[in-house]
């Protein structure tokens, strides 16, 4: 059988797929209850470019299909994330030496991070392609323009505001298929001593935790220090610092500067050695990962079947975009889960993409606790467990699948 190969988005070499989930709907493509069942699907497949180490999707739907005026994701819905971005902003402000710094954020969403700069009177600009969240940001006093970021955007910003002392991005860069146009823009927009600081889910954590649900249409890239370093070097940039973040199920924050503008921290050296040991650029590591993913699917299906056989009710907790991969890949549907509880008003009353499980308000979970809750929002595990004593006290038990499939007895 001929194996298809794809062009690497960051170096043009060809790569092959190591893991295929089959035809998948959009991770955030929540459906109205009466929508037809022939929703849009695309082949969800991931590969490693052995030339440059970049792990990436083989194919991706058009950006316009995913980030549009009805984009369901509002960053500020999690208190924990709001606190995280407060810290992020605080750290950036400490590193800004210019007395009148200018801060740009790519994919600034509803202003969850830039708000902290706006409140402190720091010059700032958010770039956000989704109109509805951009409006929410402006309502918080966060200056926001509604467009995609590329070299042209960078030139327009420079003309109006000058170069940026900090360019920030959180959970954004891994979404952008045309990463080269973004880096070309960043190279131009960044002041000589400026820092481009971004964070995204970290490949090392995905492998360690078998968190394959990080893989869905919106995440084109699964970054490691190795792949990021190689890529940004093409633009005369280098990674000068890294810091792992306990958010989004394990993220890495990369600080990137013009070459030789800043000293390179010890954390970079340490992480590089750790990645070598973990084999983050070795195809064999990804074959082993694929085997663990398949095993995880088998175990989760078996666990749900066994629990259902006892007649117990199971409700999903958190209609995350990540859960779309799990639900469709594992073939979990409304026969397995009565509904999925979610606090986001825009998702309530809808059906999950592909698997068509009803999403209901959190009150429906609390008012009639099921015997089991399947934790989809595992990246918010600590926050959720701290809030759910009442569920436990009522005899409720958790089913989890990251890092392992577990069913509480
Ligand atoms: P995220 O993983 O992309 O942040 O999305 C988390 C989803 O889970 C979001 O739709 C809100 C939902 N959620 C709850 O329903 N209850 C909670 O306690 C938390 C933290 C999230
Ligand atoms: Zn490559």
């Amino acid at each position: 059988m001929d194996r298809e190969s794809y062009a690497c988005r960051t170096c043009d070499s060809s790569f092959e797929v190591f893991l295929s989930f089959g035809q998948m709907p959009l991770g955030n493509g929540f459906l109205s209850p009466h929508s037809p069942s022939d929703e849009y699907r695309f082949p969800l497949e991931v590969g490693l470019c052995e030339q440059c180490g970049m792990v990436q999707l083989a194919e991706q739907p058009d950006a316009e299909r995913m980030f549009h005026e009805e984009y369901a994701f509002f960053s500020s819905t999690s208190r924990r994330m709001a606190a995280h971005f407060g810290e992020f902003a605080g750290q950036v402000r400490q590193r800004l030496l210019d007395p009148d710094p200018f801060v740009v954020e790519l994919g600034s969403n509803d202003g969850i991070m830039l708000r902290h700069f706006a409140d402190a009177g720091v010059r700032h600009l958010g770039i956000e392609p989704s109109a509805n969240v951009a409006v929410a940001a402006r309502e918080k006093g966060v200056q926001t323009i509604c467009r995609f970021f590329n070299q042209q955007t960078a030139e327009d910003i420079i003309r109006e505001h000058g170069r940026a002392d900090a360019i920030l991005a959180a959970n954004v860069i891994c979404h952008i298929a045309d990463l080269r146009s973004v880096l070309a823009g960043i190279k131009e927009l960044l002041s000589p001593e400026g820092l481009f600081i971004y964070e995204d889910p970290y490949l090392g954590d995905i492998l360690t935790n078998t968190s394959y649900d990080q893989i869905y249409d919106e995440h084109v890239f699964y970054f490691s220090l190795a792949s990021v370093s190689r890529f940004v070097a093409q633009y005369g940039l280098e990674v000068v610092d890294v810091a792992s973040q306990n958010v989004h199920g394990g993220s890495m924050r990369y600080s990137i500067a013009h070459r030789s503008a800043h000293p390179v921290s010890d954390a970079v050296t340490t992480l590089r050695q750790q990645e070598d040991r973990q084999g983050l650029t070795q195809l064999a590591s990804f074959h082993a990962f694929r085997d663990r993913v398949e095993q995880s699917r088998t175990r989760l299906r078996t666990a749900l079947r066994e629990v259902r056989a006892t007649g117990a009710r199971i409700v999903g907790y958190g209609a995350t975009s990540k859960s779309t991969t799990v639900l469709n890949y594992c073939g979990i549907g409304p026969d397995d889960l009565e509904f999925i509880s979610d606090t986001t008003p825009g998702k309530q009353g809808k059906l999950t993409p592909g698997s068509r499980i009803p999403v209901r308000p959190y009150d429906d979970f609390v008012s009639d606790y099921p015997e089991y809750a399947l934790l989809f929002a595992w990246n918010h595990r600590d926050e959720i467990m701290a809030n759910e004593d009442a569920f436990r006290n009522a005899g409720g038990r958790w089913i989890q699948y990251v890092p392992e499939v577990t069913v509480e007895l």
Side-chain angles (χ1 to χ4, degrees):
M1 195 176 80
D2 266 355
R3 283 212 284 177
E4 232 178 312
S5 67
Y6 297 86
C8 172
R9 292 179 179 82
T10 52
C11 84
D12 284 332
S13 298
S14 67
F15 71 89
E16 287 176 6
V17 159
F18 64 76
L19 174 57
S20 174
F21 293 97
Q23 294 288 325
M24 287 277 155
L26 302 182
N28 253 310
F30 291 88
L31 303 163
S32 38
H34 303 295
S35 57
S37 55
D38 60 343
E39 63 188 292
Y40 174 81
R41 285 174 188 264
F42 79 106
L44 180 64
E45 299 180 317
V46 231
L48 163 75
C49 172
E50 290 184 90
Q51 191 63 37
C52 74
M54 195 63 82
V55 173
Q56 56 199 291
L57 291 188
E59 288 178 40
Q60 203 203 14
D62 299 336
E64 285 74 16
R65 277 189 182 276
M66 299 181 286
F67 308 110
H68 45 67
E69 58 289 350
E70 287 183 50
Y71 186 53
F73 189 85
F74 278 77
S75 294
S76 296
T77 47
S78 162
R79 233 179 301 148
R80 163 95 194 295
M81 289 310 294
H84 173 76
F85 287 120
E87 261 163 61
F88 191 157
Q91 286 189 16
V92 172
R93 284 187 58 202
Q94 278 176 8
R95 294 180 76 163
L96 290 171
L97 303 173
D98 193 299
D100 179 26
F102 176 45
V103 178
V104 170
E105 188 184 355
L106 312 182
S108 43
N109 200 273
D110 56 6
I112 188 169
M113 175 141 65
L114 278 185
R115 184 170 73 76
H116 298 277
F117 295 93
D119 290 350
V122 175
R123 289 193 300 132
H124 66 276
L125 184 65
I127 323 287
E128 172 52 59
S130 289
N132 59 338
V133 284
V135 168
R138 289 192 196 111
E139 282 167 3
K140 295 191 181 92
V142 173
Q143 261 209 62
T144 308
I145 56 171
C146 188
R147 56 191 280 198
F148 286 97
F149 181 81
N150 54 32
Q151 202 163 354
Q152 186 57 54
T153 323
E155 284 165 14
D156 294 346
I157 296 171
I158 293 168
R159 208 170 311 116
E160 202 171 326
H161 305 271
R163 293 203 146 76
D165 302 289
I167 302 175
L168 312 177
N171 309 306
V172 166
I173 298 300
C174 74
H175 293 227
I176 305 174
D178 186 9
L179 204 48
R180 287 165 153 169
S181 71
V182 171
L183 261 287
I186 285 169
K187 176 68 185 173
E188 207 157 309
L189 181 58
L190 198 61
S191 72
E193 310 257 280
L195 288 170
F196 163 43
I197 308 175
Y198 86 91
E199 63 185 41
D200 269 317
Y202 176 55
L203 181 65
D205 289 321
I206 295 175
L207 261 60
T208 302
N209 298 322
T210 317
S211 43
Y212 66 89
D213 55 352
Q214 297 280 15
I215 302 169
Y216 62 94
D217 57 290
E218 292 178 22
H219 293 167
V220 195
F221 295 105
Y222 305 86
F223 295 118
S224 62
L225 171 61
S227 61
V228 171
S229 302
R230 272 190 186 236
F231 176 52
V232 301
Q234 294 177 29
Y235 298 85
L237 300 167
E238 66 181 344
V239 180
V240 295
D241 198 17
V242 285
S244 69
Q245 305 293 323
N246 185 22
V247 292
H248 280 291
S251 288
M252 190 62 69
R253 183 179 298 167
Y254 306 91
S255 297
I256 294 163
H258 293 290
R259 188 180 292 129
S260 306
H262 286 265
V264 176
S265 77
D266 292 343
V268 172
T269 316
T270 307
L271 185 61
R272 189 159 287 145
Q273 289 162 352
Q274 187 183 310
E275 290 191 349
D276 283 345
R277 284 196 300 273
Q278 203 183 350
L280 284 194
T281 56
Q282 305 300 315
L283 198 51
S285 315
F286 296 92
H287 288 152
F289 170 66
R290 180 196 55 208
D291 294 346
R292 293 196 300 278
V293 171
E294 287 170 0
Q295 228 169 51
S296 172
R297 167 169 68 173
T298 307
R299 288 182 181 155
L300 183 57
R301 287 161 94 148
T302 307
L304 293 181
R305 201 174 46 235
E306 287 175 2
V307 169
R308 292 287 295 135
T310 68
R313 293 169 59 217
I314 314 174
V315 165
Y317 197 105
T320 57
S321 10
K322 293 193 295 293
S323 70
T324 299
T325 297
V326 177
L327 293 167
N328 289 279
Y329 174 65
C330 298
I332 300 167
D335 292 341
D336 305 296
L337 302 183
E338 194 172 306
F339 63 92
I340 300 183
S341 155
D342 197 286
T343 51
T344 314
K347 293 181 185 178
Q348 297 162 358
K350 297 207 165 153
L351 301 175
T352 56
S355 47
R356 302 180 79 88
I357 300 166
V359 181
R360 297 225 225 121
Y362 178 63
D363 280 353
D364 289 15
F365 174 71
V366 176
S367 62
D368 185 15
Y369 282 132
E371 281 87 357
Y372 288 89
L374 172 51
L375 183 64
F376 289 114
W378 57 266
N379 48 311
H380 302 283
R381 181 179 291 144
D382 296 347
E383 183 177 352
I384 290 170
M385 293 302 161
N387 283 336
E388 292 301 345
D389 282 347
F391 170 58
R392 270 178 199 279
N393 294 339
R397 284 162 276 189
W398 289 99
I399 304 173
Q400 304 197 46
Y401 53 87
V402 172
E404 301 269 340
V405 174
T406 55
V407 180
E408 279 176 1
L409 294 173

